[in-house]
Amino acid sequence: MAKSQKTSIGRRSFLKNAAGGAAALATTTPLVEAQVRSNGTGAAPAAGVPSPTQAQLDRETGNVRPPAAVRTITRPGSDLMVQTIRDLGIEYVAANPGSSFEGLQESFINYGNPPNRMPEFITALHEESAVTMAHGYAKAEGKPMLALLHGTIGIQHGAMSIYQAYYDRVPVLMIAGNDPDFIAAHTAHDMAGMVRSYTKWDAEPKTLDEALLAIQRAYNEAITPPMGPTLVVLGSEIQKDNAPNARVPAYNPPQFPTIDATHAKEIAKGLVEAQNPRIAVGRLRTPEGVKRAVELAELVGASTSTAATGGPMSFPQRHPLCGPGADTAYDYTLGLEAGGAQASITGPSLAKIAGPRDSLDIGFGGIRGGRGGRGGGRGNASAPPIEADGEASIPLIIEEVKHQLTADRKARIQERAARHARANHEAHVAAIAQAVENKRAGWNGVPISTARVYAELWPLIMNEDWCLSSPSNFSGGHNAQLWDHNKPYSYLGGQGAGGMGYGAPASVGAALAAKARNRIVVNIQTDGDLNYAPGVLWTAVHHKLPMLTVMHNNRAWHQEFMFVEYMAGVRGRGGERAHIGSTLRDPYLDYAKMAAGYGMAGEGPITDPAKLSAALKRGVASVKRGEPYLIDVITQPR
């Protein structure tokens, strides 16, 4: 269809119409010429020139507005795109504004009743932060939110976060705009090619019908194991085209790969007949999967291991069956997304999907994300894993277990579960006592001990519905021993590929998930990491998110500082200059003032450990009111 025949109003046609209107105003009409030819004294015009009527004068001088133009866009294609996204249950779309998706942005904020809901438009100050928000949200909820990217430059800005989500096997849905009529440098013939080596699936539809189907498929591909980020590139004209007769296609949810009936019966038999079964639970997809894993463990009275202290969606850490149990001589082990067990169910590798798509040969196609958790019984050889989705397979095992249970077996299982519960409780109490004793060292030290930060924060949140959203490895990982990780989202784990600039944006994404669920989010924020993307603090304030940020401010990228210090030492050069390039000093950064610049309440820097507890209380009280808060704490290196 020729451009002049389209009913959409693109940027070029708008500018052309504006220019034409200006030219028309500059042309003198016969009526105005007659007025000019008058003597300017109010006398009658020259002979033969009719006197203008008052209506003509009003029209010529602009006192009468022309009739309103007929609205040509009655149902823009972007409205149907938003409806498709809404029907998928996506709550939020994060974006830094860009001209390539102006049609889609307008629909997000104005279409629907009420507008700007499902999804709500979240303002990001950087595309990298927008993608990482989606990363954190997905790890908290087990489902995607949407990141909206502007053309080539938006994809490149977000590329590190896309790679990180891919490595972390996190479902992230992305849409990039492509506007060939605007800035050539922001467009491309194959825009998704820049990140194809580390996305799971992409498409660039050419029609509205194709676009709606592509959005649905991108969502399905993102949530189907192995999960990962997906990208749909949408041209600006498709967004703006009038589509009065188009309809959102029926949505068909994905079918997750499961074990077959034979495997289900074999696994159930092993669990039911074992004298001391063990279930190793890694990282499942959603909270429903965690619920099913608990049901299975309770049904067979198996002791369990968990990856909850290393990441989300795993078995509750303080469940009575979680721990070594009364006897560590396990005679049957089952791994659910965790390797090393006699029967281990784990999803397919991303390499099988990414490898064939790696047409650019960048070299990231064979990445395999780490599987959390440990499994396997003493002296048991590991069998090859069954390639299926653990979460989708659990209900099949549960049904087979129920068929095979007898009254005698149920009684034996109850007695075994009680023994495991007693043993695990005793082990937990002993571990806590040992952890507390180990962390006494440096309790009153200056700078403040990172263990004290975690220890004094725990009593303030233990009775709340909380989520530790930031990685804890650089701040000592004290949560693993001192806190109870009993929810699928209790701890979201590390940043996948180890990229910096993750903690605060991921915490904002987790806080978006928490906002409507009466939950609070805790971000133990490393100082070097925050400086990559501090603008996300403004997003937290603007959207009134329940996020407490406690700075682990050791005034350095301390891991790198230690590496350089060691290298200088082994080379015999001394460590006096090891701080160059790896520390944040001269001047020191004031993070409370940084937060204030973005509108966030906060305090610090706190150097006296005796003042830490009161500051944490103020911070928790603030986020419980829905007001984000930052506390700058000068801390020990780790």
Side-chain angles (χ1 to χ4, degrees), residues 590-597 600-605 630 632:
D590 190 325
Y591 293 99
K593 288 182 178 178
M594 175 189 286
M600 182 177 288
E603 57 186 285
L630 182 144
D632 186 7

Side-chain angles (χ1 to χ4, degrees), residues 74-445:
T74 58
R75 195 182 194 192
S78 54
D79 281 4
L80 281 89
M81 296 173 186
V82 170
Q83 186 61 54
T84 300
I85 294 165
R86 178 175 295 170
D87 291 347
L88 293 171
I90 293 176
E91 293 184 296
Y92 299 103
V93 49
N96 184 251
S99 57
S100 63
F101 54 74
E102 60 192 6
L104 191 53
Q105 180 175 349
E106 192 280 332
S107 290
F108 276 126
I109 62 180
N110 284 322
Y111 169 76
N113 186 21
N116 198 31
R117 290 290 183 273
M118 290 294 289
E120 179 183 353
F121 200 93
I122 304 299
T123 307
L125 274 63
H126 196 292
E127 286 90 349
E128 182 178 297
S129 295
V131 177
T132 302
M133 286 180 208
H135 189 161
Y137 174 93
K139 290 176 80 170
E141 286 302 303
K143 64 179 184 179
M145 64 174 272
L146 175 63
L148 195 56
L149 308 173
H150 168 53
T152 55
I153 58 173
I155 292 176
Q156 290 178 88
H157 264 162
M160 191 279 288
S161 294
I162 297 169
Y163 166 62
Q164 193 137 260
Y166 173 83
Y167 194 92
D168 209 12
R169 295 191 178 191
V170 172
V172 172
L173 178 60
M174 300 177 294
I175 290 177
N178 192 8
D179 188 354
D181 287 348
F182 196 36
I183 300 176
H186 296 181
T187 69
H189 292 297
D190 182 18
M191 196 177 289
M194 294 186 291
V195 292
R196 185 163 293 131
S197 292
Y198 44 95
T199 51
K200 185 181 175 186
W201 185 84
D202 67 79
E204 187 167 0
K206 302 303 181 185
T207 68
L208 178 60
D209 289 339
E210 291 176 359
L212 303 182
L213 289 170
I215 291 170
Q216 291 179 338
R217 182 172 175 187
Y219 180 87
N220 283 355
E221 292 285 350
I223 65 174
T224 302
M227 298 185 294
T230 58
L231 173 64
V232 179
V233 179
L234 297 177
S236 57
E237 288 299 323
I238 300 177
Q239 301 171 39
K240 298 172 185 177
D241 276 349
N242 195 30
N245 299 317
R247 296 290 182 270
V248 174
Y251 171 64
N252 296 310
Q255 298 296 312
F256 300 114
T258 65
I259 57 175
D260 57 30
T262 299
H263 276 128
K265 289 179 181 179
E266 290 174 352
I267 293 171
K269 185 174 185 289
L271 290 169
V272 168
E273 294 183 354
Q275 296 301 308
N276 188 28
R278 176 79 165 173
I279 300 177
V281 183
R283 182 165 143 188
L284 301 171
R285 285 186 290 104
T286 72
E288 183 62 25
V290 176
K291 179 181 176 182
R292 292 293 191 182
V294 171
E295 181 182 356
L296 177 60
E298 291 177 347
L299 197 59
V300 299
S303 66
T304 64
S305 66
T306 179
T309 57
M313 304 299 162
S314 196
F315 204 87
Q317 182 189 14
R318 304 306 182 199
H319 187 281
L321 291 174
C322 189
D327 183 2
T328 57
Y330 316 121
D331 55 349
Y332 185 85
T333 58
L334 169 66
L336 298 173
E337 303 295 342
Q342 285 176 320
S344 183
I345 303 171
T346 182
S349 167
L350 270 167
K352 292 187 176 181
I353 291 175
R357 298 179 63 246
D358 189 3
S359 59
L360 300 182
D361 196 26
I362 294 176
F364 292 119
I367 288 172
R368 294 171 179 262
R371 290 197 293 268
R374 295 172 180 262
R378 182 177 298 172
N380 290 330
S382 298
I386 304 167
E387 199 166 88
D389 177 50
E391 178 170 327
S393 300
I394 296 174
L396 304 177
I397 301 171
I398 288 175
E399 288 306 308
E400 284 296 333
V401 166
K402 290 178 178 178
H403 289 155
Q404 297 181 28
L405 282 177
T406 64
D408 289 344
R409 285 171 173 170
K410 289 181 181 179
R412 176 163 49 86
I413 287 170
Q414 289 177 354
E415 187 276 332
R416 181 170 65 220
R419 285 190 290 110
H420 285 328
R422 289 192 296 270
N424 288 333
H425 176 71
E426 292 171 2
H428 169 57
V429 170
I432 285 290
Q434 185 62 53
V436 170
E437 188 62 32
N438 293 342
K439 297 177 194 309
R440 289 186 188 278
W443 184 260
N444 293 314

Side-chain angles (χ1 to χ4, degrees), residues 553-588:
N553 185 2
N554 59 20
R555 293 172 167 167
W557 291 281
H558 207 274
Q559 176 175 274
E560 286 66 32
F561 178 35
M562 291 188 296
F563 289 162
V564 174
E565 191 174 43
Y566 170 80
M567 188 58 62
V570 298
R571 292 176 174 179
R573 302 179 198 264
E576 292 80 6
R577 288 177 295 280
H579 66 278
I580 297 174
S582 301
T583 57
L584 295 164
R585 60 174 74 167
D586 192 24
Y588 291 130

